[in-house]
Amino acid sequence: MSITDKKQAILDTALRLFVAQGFHATTTAAIARQAGVATGTLFHHFPSKDALMQHLFLSIKQEFADAIIASDQPSGELKQDAKHLWFSALNWAIDNPLKQAFFQQYSMSPTVEQAVRMQAMNTILGFIGDLIEQGQTQGVIAPYPVALMQDNCHGQFLAATRYFIDNPDTWQQASHKEASFNLFWQAMASPR
């Protein structure tokens, strides 16, 4: 197994165990054993379990952001563009249930340091803040603090994905999908 393969095996195993057992119940020894690597190899790549968690969190956030950006097809109409991005994000969550379960558990967890969450929100998902600011400039998005709006978007995404994962039959219903976007948009839109 190459160094890259070992690191990926550690990350894949950590993801699976963190979701199944929780961060605190998962030991580095269990991660190494189930990944098929020595504990020293795990610590070569990640100096601590916290460092492993942070790397996993940021790498999955980056994968999520890359998927959304890759699907972007700007129409020039902010609400339509937001709707496309919303459904791209939800599709990613449905297509990646283990990674989404990880987000559900750790996105707001004190296990993930505030600085790491801020890096994810402001750097990796910075394009969302840019869209909010664009919408505020156009008078389409409410003039609330951008950081608060970003956290609100994130919370609504987590709530919608939790609903669709818990009620998988509703994901196939256009009325539920449309309602999820409308709830999101109403929270963002400028009061008229």
Side-chain angles (χ1 to χ4, degrees), residues 12-189:
D12 293 343
T13 302
L15 172 65
R16 193 176 71 256
L17 291 176
F18 288 158
V19 169
Q21 300 175 0
F23 177 76
H24 296 291
T26 302
T27 65
T28 53
I31 295 169
R33 185 176 52 256
Q34 289 193 29
V37 302
T39 304
T41 301
L42 184 147
F43 287 118
H44 169 75
H45 291 289
F46 306 101
S48 67
K49 186 167 68 167
D50 286 335
L52 172 57
M53 166 65 86
Q54 290 174 6
H55 181 88
L56 189 61
F57 182 78
L58 291 173
S59 65
I60 293 173
K61 280 286 189 189
Q62 187 65 60
E63 178 186 327
F64 171 72
D66 290 347
I68 294 170
I69 291 168
S71 75
D72 193 19
Q73 301 169 353
S75 69
E77 201 272 304
L78 189 67
K79 184 176 180 180
Q80 194 59 36
D81 292 346
K83 187 174 192 175
H84 178 79
L85 292 175
W86 177 256
F87 287 125
S88 294
L90 290 178
N91 282 325
W92 183 91
I94 298 299
D95 292 345
N96 295 278
L98 188 61
K99 292 174 182 175
Q100 185 57 38
F102 177 79
F103 279 167
Q104 290 289 339
Q105 288 178 341
Y106 297 106
S107 287
M108 301 297 193
S109 169
T111 303
V112 179
E113 293 178 13
Q114 174 69 12
V116 173
R117 284 198 308 273
M118 295 301 292
Q119 180 182 351
M121 194 61 74
N122 296 327
T123 304
I124 296 172
L125 297 173
F127 67 94
I128 295 172
D130 295 342
L131 284 173
I132 292 169
E133 288 176 350
Q134 176 189 348
Q136 288 176 333
T137 300
Q138 296 173 3
V140 177
I141 300 291
Y144 303 132
V146 173
L148 178 60
M149 299 286 280
Q150 285 176 294
D151 275 355
N152 185 59
C153 289
H154 190 245
Q156 288 189 323
F157 169 75
L158 291 175
T161 56
R162 173 84 282 143
Y163 177 81
F164 286 122
I165 288 168
D166 288 350
N167 303 282
D169 57 311
T170 61
W171 181 242
Q172 304 308 319
Q173 297 176 23
S175 62
H176 281 73
K177 288 169 117 173
E178 192 66 29
S180 76
F181 175 73
N182 288 336
L183 287 166
F184 164 75
W185 185 255
Q186 288 171 11
M188 300 295 291

